[in-house]
Amino acid sequence: MENRSEYIEDIRVIKKVMEESSRFLSLSGLAGVFAGLSAIAGAAFAAIFFLDGNLSISEDFFLSLASGGKESLVLKLALLAGIVLLVSLSLALWLSYRKSFRKGLSIWTPVSKRFLTYLLVPLFTGGILILIFIAGGQFNLILPAMLIFYGLSLVSATKFTYSDIFYLGILETVLGLLAAAFPSMGLILWALGFGILHIIYGLVMYRKYER
Amino acid sequence: MKIDISGLSKFFENRIRLGIMSILIVNDSYDFNSLKSALGVTDGNLASHLRALEENSLIRVNKKFIGKKPNTSYSATEDGERLFRNHLKALEEIIRSR
């Protein structure tokens, strides 16, 4: 049958077009590694400069944050978290942009918009909740909330990208629940979730899809 | 072995029409410009294939305005979806048959 190779090419085109149009495939594994490194650096900085070198957080520390006169410390911690977020996010954006450019894919597509929507709805909800916690002085709930809402946002967005982030999302959520149950372990669990897991996930993704 | 190729449809002999349908099967709707960049084709080329699919009721056109900009998006009809799935099944059978 002389058309056979044509038919095989047809199937290939169908698969490629279906996949590219229904999944955001420009997520970069390297971005995960860098996000993990910046999270670990941030956690180490917090432990050294704000916790006197301790990795565990005492109950007194949470209570002292809530007591009056500690506004500048709260601000410093928020600034540190903001810097970690900004570094990770801008690297992720840049690397994804570069990856899509290399693969000849457009980055602003119907599916990337859907991916972002499903990612950002739980993420913004968590962000607002954390602001409410800060205002109410419930500082022990902030690290767990970060992990839980980040985890849920990954689970929510997984339908529109690599299915691998589903498992990352579940693990982050579980770590968040553990951090809520054991507040003194908050920073270690946070560094595990945002640091180590991101690095492992990034390396797995890099090996699986980018080499 | 006898191969059933009755599911093949002439509409999908063209790769651009095949690509358009592949996108509309996995997406509820897709707008003109996104189709254009996803398939890497020119305006005129895409428009003529879309028209052919629409005239044969394989796709549906939804026109609306986003602000002042007209936005045209397309979805697969039930007929179009059935025809495409039969076509895909026939392709797979042909390839498997040897």
Side-chain angles (χ1 to χ4, degrees):
Chain A
M1 201 178 303
E2 57 183 348
N3 283 334
R4 206 180 131 83
S5 62
E6 287 290 300
Y7 291 144
I8 290 176
E9 177 61 15
D10 277 356
I11 297 256
R12 201 193 61 80
V13 168
I14 293 171
K15 271 191 181 158
K16 179 173 176 287
V17 167
M18 278 185 168
E19 189 173 83
E20 285 178 1
S21 70
S22 64
R23 285 179 187 273
F24 176 64
L25 300 174
S26 301
L27 273 189
S28 152
L30 282 182
V33 175
F34 285 125
L37 291 175
S38 81
I40 288 176
F45 190 91
I48 293 166
F49 292 99
F50 301 123
L51 295 171
D52 303 323
N54 289 320
L55 276 175
S56 64
I57 312 171
S58 66
E59 207 174 319
D60 289 345
F61 182 76
F62 288 127
L63 289 175
S64 77
L65 282 179
S67 65
K70 289 287 185 168
E71 286 80 7
S72 80
L73 180 56
V74 173
L75 205 64
K76 279 180 199 158
L77 285 167
L79 194 67
L80 176 62
I83 290 171
V84 169
L85 181 69
L86 198 70
V87 168
S88 312
L89 211 59
S90 38
L91 277 171
L93 279 175
W94 177 63
L95 287 167
S96 291
Y97 184 78
R98 205 183 62 152
K99 184 173 169 190
S100 69
F101 186 76
R102 275 198 191 155
K103 289 173 84 176
L105 299 172
S106 139
I107 198 158
W108 201 232
T109 62
V111 72
S112 69
K113 287 175 208 167
R114 236 169 290 156
F115 166 76
L116 278 180
T117 309
Y118 280 74
L119 186 77
L120 291 181
V121 167
L123 213 54
F124 270 124
T125 309
I128 292 165
L129 188 66
I130 286 171
L131 291 179
I132 294 171
F133 285 158
I134 293 176
Q138 289 156 300
F139 293 97
N140 54 339
L141 294 174
I142 292 173
L143 294 175
M146 283 184 183
L147 284 162
I148 290 171
F149 282 89
Y150 177 61
L152 293 179
S153 75
L154 293 182
V155 170
S156 152
T158 191
K159 203 177 146 210
F160 301 107
T161 184
Y162 298 106
S163 51
D164 311 61
I165 75 163
F166 175 79
Y167 302 102
L168 180 65
I170 295 288
L171 288 173
E172 301 282 1
T173 309
V174 170
L175 287 178
L177 291 173
L178 284 174
F182 307 103
S184 66
M185 303 280 286
L187 190 64
I188 298 172
L189 292 165
W190 189 92
L192 198 63
F194 283 100
I196 308 290
L197 280 187
H198 269 147
I199 293 175
I200 295 173
Y201 155 86
L203 290 175
V204 169
M205 296 289 282
Y206 186 72
R207 285 183 62 123
K208 202 163 162 187
Y209 302 108
E210 289 170 56
R211 275 210 317 197
Chain B
M1 192 181 128
K2 197 167 168 292
I3 314 159
D4 183 15
I5 56 163
S6 59
L8 287 184
S9 158
K10 63 178 169 52
F11 292 115
F12 307 130
E13 278 169 13
N14 177 286
R15 288 253 161 78
I16 296 171
R17 288 202 286 270
L18 191 73
I20 294 170
M21 279 312 279
S22 304
I23 291 177
L24 297 184
I25 293 293
V26 288
N27 292 278
D28 289 342
S29 82
Y30 226 70
D31 66 275
F32 187 88
N33 287 327
S34 303
L35 278 173
K36 202 175 82 173
S37 68
L39 297 168
V41 290
T42 61
D43 276 30
N45 202 351
L46 179 60
S48 76
H49 287 301
L50 284 170
R51 203 176 314 118
L53 290 170
E54 188 199 349
E55 278 165 5
N56 289 283
S57 308
L58 301 186
I59 62 172
R60 189 182 309 118
V61 184
N62 327 296
K63 286 197 161 85
K64 60 176 180 193
F65 279 83
I66 295 179
K68 278 184 178 171
K69 273 191 184 163
N71 181 288
T72 311
S73 66
Y74 303 84
S75 345
T77 62
E78 275 178 33
D79 279 352
E81 195 163 336
R82 189 166 22 166
L83 213 60
F84 180 83
R85 292 204 187 277
N86 288 338
H87 182 82
L88 185 57
K89 216 190 292 169
L91 282 181
E92 282 169 344
E93 256 165 53
I94 293 165
I95 291 171
R96 256 204 308 268
S97 66
R98 239 197 258 177

